[in-house]
Amino acid sequence: MNGGLNETDLIKTELTRFDGAMIGREAYQNPYFLADLEREVYGALQTRSRHEIAHLMADYAERQNELYGTPVKSITRHILGLFHGESGAKDWKRTLSTLPYEEGAGPDVIMKALESVDKAREKHRIVA
Ligand SMILES: Cc1cc2nc3c(=O)[nH]c(=O)nc-3n(C[C@H](O)[C@H](O)[C@H](O)COP(=O)(O)O)c2cc1C
């Protein structure tokens, strides 16, 4: 089954009728949706937080750069949606849409993006 599957309940229902579900756009635009599926469809008791995933992606980017010279922008372009729908999402996206494209950018841009999320959340708390 595929096409427009973007809610865990919908997928759970389809899996009672079909052997599998293929998810395209939602997995790309909102990759943390896969963590929701891990919990709600596969019964995982806990999944990593977005912050933990960001740290793991920075380690991954570092390794890929050491092994293959992969520029960090080739990795960050696929995690622009990590904070989709969350407070600080715009800051994450804005930081990762600019810093990785600067000369000499390294995996630390992911940490900087995370800091921009935290800062935005802090600001929101003060204002709220
Ligand atoms: C970013 C992205 C990557 C995809 N990769 C594959 C793929 O590797 N193999 C495949 O058979 N279909 C792939 N598709 C197609 C989808 O699995 C599927 O046919 C369709 O996009 C599902 O609809 P949805 O985008 O509304 O979830 C991909 C689609 C997207 C948007």
Side-chain angles (χ1 to χ4, degrees):
M1 184 64 178
N2 75 347
L5 294 174
N6 59 3
E7 285 173 22
T8 50
D9 282 349
L10 193 60
I11 289 165
K12 275 168 104 166
T13 305
E14 296 301 352
L15 288 179
T16 62
R17 301 196 293 145
F18 295 95
D19 293 330
M22 195 183 264
I23 301 150
R25 287 168 294 174
E26 190 65 14
Y28 198 70
Q29 288 159 15
N30 176 22
Y32 201 75
F33 181 61
L34 299 174
D36 299 335
L37 291 178
E38 279 296 320
R39 280 190 307 274
E40 293 175 39
V41 177
Y42 296 105
L45 295 180
Q46 59 179 38
T47 45
R48 294 182 198 278
S49 68
R50 289 175 174 80
H51 274 65
E52 285 172 323
I53 291 169
H55 281 276
L56 290 170
M57 289 306 291
D59 294 344
Y60 174 72
E62 183 136 29
R63 267 198 322 277
Q64 295 303 302
N65 183 262
E66 279 165 15
L67 290 171
Y68 311 111
T70 309
V72 69
K73 66 182 178 196
S74 301
I75 289 167
T76 50
R77 63 195 285 263
H78 300 291
I79 53 171
L80 289 177
L82 182 60
F83 284 86
H84 181 88
E86 297 287 302
S87 150
K90 269 190 204 147
D91 303 79
W92 169 263
K93 220 169 184 172
R94 192 182 313 119
T95 310
L96 289 187
S97 301
T98 51
L99 296 190
Y101 297 87
E102 289 178 0
E103 184 91 31
D108 60 309
V109 297
I110 298 176
M111 294 301 101
K112 287 190 179 141
L114 213 45
E115 282 164 24
S116 75
V117 170
D118 292 340
K119 218 181 262 176
R121 289 182 176 182
E122 196 54 45
K123 212 158 111 188
H124 187 254
R125 263 198 293 279
I126 290 167
V127 172

